[in-house]
């Protein structure tokens, strides 16, 4: 509780004194904050390179923490290399993930809380990724509001190529030093960035980048892009735009809503030059300029030209109209995300159909459907979440009947079973229009 009280004081001062630099934050890394950090870690996560699990570390927790604090005070503590693993991406490629050891995770939890307490006061309103009290749906609502009610004709759908692998360590250090002058704290951040990677038993040095999967990585990414993109866009680039522009960023994905065509060319060119300075690059494959918005035809543009679509946070956005004929931004589940979700359900049912009882299979599918509805259940997307619901039903019917050589259910009997033990029905959980009043006040 004492650490939380001190963090609140730091947040308050950071908000009131924008130029204040904090020169003593390492005292917050103490026995109680590290112990609390340990118990926030999830026990089902994979171990790091030392193969020490949370259960193993907890057996002698007090002594381990005391030893860790002693090493941190003498600057002899050095984070171990992260174990690299891969997860598949939509485009067939693999996304690298770094798994730190338990001890490093504990320290990163405390460091993350300190960084958030300070920098949350500086982050701008259009930044949404990995921030407490902010969500993907709020970012989607802001995009919809800007396009619907402002003079928008174009949308720049941008993506930073390999952002987490290309963060410049020296620039990151300078970003941290904008608000924190505690040399020990900054040195430990540098050590985390340079801790290295172990892949298939081989060690690789890390001269740039921050490992995806690290607890402190998301807040470091937000700090880096706050100075590289957000502040620069708001304070400098907007001055040179002739029409309306608005930026919405979620982690390394961002959208720019633009009124004038000449501004889109200038903005893209300026962003590329800005990124080059900081070792970043826009992805040519994923970055595009889309004709979009209700003002496209009303502003005298070619009436034969159709507005395009763009993908953002798992949704495909397209122009539509309400029942009263008014323009609105509509969205539906992105095709790749939809297919990937169905494929995962199918693969899981195929592998588990004989390993688990029907009751367990049913419960797992209820969790899957509820999770899908919680995220994709937004305005105008009922049709797609219903298709997902129906596809899951078909998959369950298929694999339940393959639990043995004898067919156990026909479709009618399966429907009767559904009547007795229903699966969650599609539901719109997120009304994006509820944010309309908030945006009007901006």
């Amino acid at each position: 509780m004492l650490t939380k009280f001190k963090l609140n004081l730091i947040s308050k001062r950071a908000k009131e004194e924008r130029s204040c630099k904090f020169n003593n934050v390492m005292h917050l890394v103490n026995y109680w904050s590290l112990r609390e950090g340990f118990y926030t870690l999830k026990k089902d996560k994979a171990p790091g390179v030392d193969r020490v699990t949370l259960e193993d570390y907890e057996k002698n927790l007090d002594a381990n923490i005391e030893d860790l604090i002693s090493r941190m005070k003498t600057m002899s503590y050095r984070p171990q290399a992260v174990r690299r693993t891969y997860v598949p991406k939509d485009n067939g490629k693999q996304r690298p993930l770094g798994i730190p050891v338990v001890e490093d995770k504990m320290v990163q939890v405390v460091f993350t809380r300190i960084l958030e307490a300070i920098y949350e006061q500086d982050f701008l309103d259009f930044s949404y990724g990995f921030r407490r009290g902010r969500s993907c749906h709020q970012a989607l609502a802001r995009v919809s509001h800007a396009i619907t009610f402002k003079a928008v004709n174009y949308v720049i759908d941008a993506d930073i190529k390999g952002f987490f692998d290309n963060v410049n360590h020296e620039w990151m250090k300078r970003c941290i030093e904008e608000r924190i002058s505690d040399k020990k704290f900054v040195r430990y951040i540098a050590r985390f960035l340079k801790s290295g990677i172990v892949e298939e038993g081989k060690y690789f040095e890390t001269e740039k980048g921050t490992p995806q999967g690290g607890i402190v990585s998301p807040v470091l990414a937000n700090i880096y892009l706050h100075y590289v993109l957000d502040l620069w866009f708001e304070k400098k680039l907007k001055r040179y735009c002739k029409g309306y522009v608005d930026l919405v960023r979620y982690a390394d994905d961002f959208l720019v809503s633009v009124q004038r065509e000449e501004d889109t060319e200038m903005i893209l060119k300026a962003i590329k030059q800005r990124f080059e300075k900081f070792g970043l690059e826009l992805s040519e494959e994923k970055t595009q300029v889309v004709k979009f918005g209700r003002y496209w035809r009303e502003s005298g543009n070619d009436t034969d030209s159709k507005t395009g679509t763009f993908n953002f946070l798992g949704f495909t956005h397209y122009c539509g109209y309400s029942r009263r004929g008014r323009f609105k931004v509509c969205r539906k589940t992105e095709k790749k995300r939809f297919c990937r979700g169905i494929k995962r359900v199918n693969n899981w049912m195929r592998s588990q159909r004989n390993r688990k009882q029907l009751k367990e299979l049913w419960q797992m599918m209820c969790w899957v459907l509820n999770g899908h509805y919680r995220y994709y259940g937004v305005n105008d997307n009922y049709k797609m979440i219903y298709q997902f619901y129906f596809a899951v039903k078909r998959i369950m019917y298929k694999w339940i009947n393959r639990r043995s050589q004898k067919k156990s259910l026909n479709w009618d009997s399966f429907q009767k079973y559904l009547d007795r033990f229903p699966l969650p029905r599609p539901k719109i959980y997120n009304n994006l229009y509820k944010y309309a009043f908030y945006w009007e006040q901006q």
Side-chain angles (χ1 to χ4, degrees):
M1 293 297 293
L2 181 61
T3 301
K4 186 176 181 180
F5 174 74
K6 290 182 178 179
L7 288 174
N8 289 336
L9 290 178
I10 288 175
S11 297
K12 183 179 180 181
R13 185 174 181 185
K15 185 176 182 180
E16 294 174 350
E17 302 178 34
R18 297 292 183 178
S19 60
C20 173
K21 288 190 177 183
F22 295 87
N23 59 8
N24 185 18
V25 294
M26 279 301 295
H27 74 283
L28 295 173
V29 187
N30 52 43
Y31 172 84
W32 295 108
S33 62
L34 289 171
R35 184 182 178 88
E36 184 181 359
F38 174 83
Y39 284 110
T40 61
L41 301 177
K42 296 181 180 179
K43 294 186 177 182
D44 58 344
K45 296 297 182 180
V49 291
D50 59 358
R51 297 297 176 179
V52 175
T53 63
L54 284 176
E55 291 78 8
D56 297 333
Y57 198 87
E58 191 177 15
K59 291 177 182 177
N60 200 16
L61 181 61
D62 292 342
N64 288 333
I65 294 178
E66 292 293 346
D67 178 64
L68 174 59
I69 293 173
S70 176
R71 284 182 285 130
M72 293 194 75
K73 287 181 178 179
T74 59
M75 295 301 293
S76 60
Y77 163 70
R78 291 188 176 276
Q80 297 187 49
V82 298
R83 182 167 66 88
R84 171 163 282 183
T85 185
Y86 293 89
V87 295
K89 296 174 66 175
D90 293 338
N91 56 9
K93 298 180 181 179
Q94 291 185 317
R95 183 189 305 277
L97 291 179
I99 304 176
V101 299
V102 172
E103 194 171 70
D104 295 344
K105 288 180 181 178
M106 293 165 52
V107 178
Q108 288 191 34
V109 168
V110 182
F111 275 39
T112 298
R113 290 176 176 174
I114 295 171
L115 290 170
E116 287 178 344
I118 297 171
Y119 284 94
E120 271 295 326
Q121 318 310 315
D122 294 344
F123 291 155
L124 300 184
D125 194 51
F126 52 72
S127 169
Y128 291 89
F130 308 119
R131 295 180 61 189
R132 294 184 181 181
R134 289 175 168 258
S135 66
C136 302
H137 300 110
Q138 290 177 329
L140 292 170
R142 177 165 182 141
V143 170
S144 298
H145 185 272
I147 296 174
T148 303
F149 297 103
K150 305 297 182 180
V152 174
N153 290 312
Y154 303 90
V155 171
I156 302 175
D157 179 14
D159 182 81
I160 304 174
K161 185 176 181 180
F163 169 73
F164 287 93
D165 296 327
N166 292 289
V167 171
N168 185 285
H169 291 175
E170 189 59 36
W171 279 114
M172 174 63 78
K173 180 182 175 182
R174 293 178 64 176
C175 291
I176 299 295
E177 289 174 340
E178 286 291 318
R179 289 292 251 162
I180 300 175
S181 58
D182 188 325
K183 293 183 179 180
K184 283 189 176 182
F185 186 88
V186 176
R187 283 180 64 186
Y188 276 128
I189 291 292
R191 288 184 181 183
F192 276 116
L193 294 174
K194 297 182 180 295
S195 60
I197 295 169
V198 172
E199 183 176 351
E200 296 180 354
K202 296 181 180 179
Y203 174 80
F204 300 92
E205 293 184 356
T206 49
E207 297 298 330
K208 60 181 181 178
T210 175
Q212 296 186 60
I215 296 174
V216 77
S217 294
V219 67
L220 289 179
N222 271 335
I223 293 171
Y224 196 75
L225 287 175
H226 171 72
Y227 289 106
V228 173
L229 178 63
D230 298 355
L231 269 182
W232 168 79
F233 185 92
E234 186 70 18
K235 302 297 183 181
K236 292 188 176 181
L237 188 59
K238 270 190 173 183
R239 299 177 183 177
Y240 301 99
C241 296
K242 299 179 180 179
Y244 172 82
V245 293
D246 185 60
L247 172 69
V248 176
R249 181 176 66 81
Y250 192 93
D252 58 333
D253 294 330
F254 62 94
L255 292 176
V256 185
S257 303
V258 188
Q259 179 180 3
R260 296 179 177 273
E261 184 176 7
E262 57 266 33
D263 285 341
T264 63
E265 299 173 359
M266 184 272 293
I267 290 171
L268 273 177
K269 184 178 179 180
I271 290 176
K272 289 178 181 178
Q273 292 177 350
R274 176 73 174 178
F275 280 179
E276 286 178 3
K277 179 180 178 181
F278 294 92
L280 301 177
E281 181 184 356
L282 282 179
S283 173
E284 297 294 338
E285 298 178 357
K286 298 181 180 180
T287 301
Q288 59 175 339
V289 178
V290 181
K291 301 172 183 176
F292 203 93
R294 69 187 179 97
Y295 284 91
W296 172 249
R297 292 186 178 180
E298 296 176 8
S299 59
N301 292 302
D302 183 5
T303 56
D304 295 329
S305 298
K306 294 183 178 180
T307 55
T309 62
F310 63 89
N311 298 323
F312 187 57
L313 299 180
F315 293 90
T316 297
H317 294 69
Y318 60 96
C319 294
Y321 294 92
S322 67
R323 295 179 180 179
R324 297 182 179 181
R326 297 177 180 176
F327 173 86
K328 69 174 183 176
V329 178
C330 299
R331 62 206 63 79
K332 61 181 179 180
T333 308
E334 187 180 340
K335 185 176 180 180
K336 289 182 179 179
R337 295 284 190 98
F338 182 87
C339 294
R340 184 176 65 181
I342 296 300
K343 186 177 180 180
R344 284 181 175 177
V345 171
N346 185 66
N347 291 340
W348 189 86
M349 281 294 297
R350 180 175 58 186
S351 64
Q352 301 296 322
R353 68 186 189 275
N354 290 321
R355 297 181 180 180
K356 298 183 182 297
Q357 296 181 356
L358 183 58
K359 181 180 179 181
E360 294 177 293
L361 295 174
W362 214 261
Q363 186 180 44
M364 177 58 71
M365 287 304 103
C366 288
W367 290 343
V368 168
L369 286 170
N370 277 323
H372 188 85
Y373 302 154
R374 291 283 180 180
Y375 185 79
Y376 292 102
V378 301
N379 309 91
D380 308 311
N381 197 37
Y382 184 85
K383 181 179 178 181
M384 291 299 293
I385 61 175
Y386 181 83
Q387 288 181 13
F388 188 84
Y389 163 76
F390 186 76
V392 168
K393 280 204 312 183
R394 299 290 300 185
I395 290 171
M396 294 188 69
Y397 173 70
K398 170 185 174 181
W399 291 113
I400 286 174
N401 277 314
R402 296 190 183 185
R403 284 161 61 89
S404 65
Q405 295 181 351
K406 183 179 178 181
K407 188 173 183 179
S408 56
L409 292 172
N410 57 33
W411 185 252
D412 290 336
S413 58
F414 179 72
Q415 289 290 352
K416 291 180 180 179
Y417 189 85
L418 277 175
D419 292 338
R420 291 184 60 193
F421 306 99
L423 291 171
R425 299 284 298 182
K427 181 179 178 181
I428 301 299
Y429 279 94
N430 303 287
N431 179 13
L432 302 186
Y433 300 119
K434 71 181 180 181
Y435 300 105
F437 176 77
Y438 172 77
W439 301 125
E440 285 295 338
Q441 307 305 312
Q442 303 300 305

